[in-house]
Amino acid sequence: MQRTHLVGVGVGPGDPQLVTLAAATALQQADVVLVPATEKSGDGPGRAEQIVRAVAPAARIERIGFAMREQGRSARRQESWQAAAEAALTHFADGLTTIAMATIGDPAVYSTFSYLAGTVRAALPAVEVSWIPGITAMQALAAASGTPLVEGNEVLALAPATLGAEGLGPVLDAADSVCVYKGGRQLGMVREALAERGRDGIVGSEVSLPEEHLASLDDLDQDTRTGYFSAVLSTPSRTSIGGSL
C-alpha cells in the first residue's frame, strides 16, 4: 500500500515573508495544495492562495469552497469539509501521495483543517496526518502594535466574539490578556464588554499587509465594523514598545 500524507500548513496572517521555512518547503513538495475559496474571494484567489503562490509559485493549487460566514457545525460548513475531504481522497485514489491544505494563521487555531483531517482519516485510516504551525493573527497584532502578550505570571486567553457578551465576559474576567477573533459585526459588543471592566483594546485589521490598520478600540465609532481578518487585543496597561499604533 502506498504511503499517503495529509498535511495542514499554517501560512501566517497575510505577509508571505511570515511563512516559515518548514511551511514553504511543505507547499513546494506537495502533489496538490488545497486552498479555501470563500464568499469574499469569489472567483479570484483568496488570501491563503495568494500566500501559497508567493512562496511556492510552481505548486499545483486546487480551490475548495468554504462557507466562512457560517458558524459552528452548520450544514453548509459540513458540506465544505466533506468537499475538501472528497477532493483529498480522490487525489489519493489517483495515486498522489502528499496533499497539503493551506490555512491562514495556524492549522490548530480555529482552522478547518482539523475537520478535514478527521473526515479523511475516517475514510482512510492509514493516512499520515501532520501539522505545520504558522504565525497567528494574535502574534502578528502584538508585534505590529509593540504590545507584549503576557509577562511574568500573566494569563493569556484567545476567544471568538461569537461567544457573545455572556460567553466573553467570564474570559475577560479570568485572563490578564485576551485576544478576540471574529469581531467583525460584533465589535460593539466586544467594546462594551471591555468597557464594563475598565479595559481598552487594540483592534487590528489586515495585519502584516500594506493595508494594515491599527486603532484603539475607544477611538472607533460605535457603529464601526471590521472584516473577517481582524482581531482585538486587550492586555494590562502598558506602554507600546516600538509598534505603529
Side-chain angles (χ1 to χ4, degrees), residues 17-18 114 126 135 145 195 203 227 238:
Q17 294 185 85
L18 295 180
S114 58
I135 293 173
S145 61
V203 58
R238 300 192 182 105

Side-chain angles (χ1 to χ4, degrees), residues 39-224:
E39 300 94 335
K40 182 178 180 179
S41 60
D43 294 331
R47 180 167 301 188
E49 180 176 344
Q50 293 174 43
I51 298 171
V52 173
R53 291 190 182 281
V55 300
R60 176 183 170 186
I61 295 174
E62 180 173 341
R63 297 175 184 171
I64 303 294
F66 278 92
M68 302 304 290
R69 293 175 183 170
E70 303 286 330
Q71 300 298 329
R73 291 177 174 269
S74 69
R76 286 191 64 202
R77 296 206 83 178
Q78 293 190 55
E79 289 174 3
S80 298
W81 305 334
Q82 187 62 41
E86 289 175 358
L89 291 168
T90 296
H91 288 308
F92 286 140
D94 289 341
L96 302 186
T97 60
T98 303
I99 309 299
M101 179 175 180
T103 67
I104 295 297
D106 183 280
V109 179
Y110 298 130
S111 166
T112 56
F113 179 70
S114 58
Y115 304 108
L116 166 64
T119 304
V120 171
R121 183 173 271 160
L124 191 64
V127 68
E128 177 186 348
V129 178
S130 60
W131 310 59
I132 297 179
I135 293 173
T136 64
M138 176 174 63
Q139 294 165 293
L141 178 53
S145 61
T147 306
L149 283 173
V150 277
E151 297 176 344
N153 293 323
E154 293 173 349
V155 175
L156 171 65
L158 174 62
T162 49
L163 285 174
E166 291 185 1
L168 183 59
V171 178
L172 294 172
D173 292 336
D176 300 287
S177 296
V178 178
C179 189
V180 182
Y181 280 9
K182 308 178 185 180
R185 303 173 186 175
Q186 304 196 62
L187 200 59
M189 178 276 293
V190 175
R191 184 209 314 268
E192 289 183 11
L194 287 168
E196 288 174 1
R197 294 161 176 80
R199 301 179 65 151
D200 189 10
I202 299 166
V203 58
S205 58
E206 310 299 333
V207 178
S208 82
L209 294 172
E211 56 269 34
E212 172 186 288
H213 180 72
L214 307 179
S216 168
L217 202 52
D218 282 346
D219 292 339
L220 297 181
D221 294 335
Q222 186 64 33
D223 297 329
T224 298

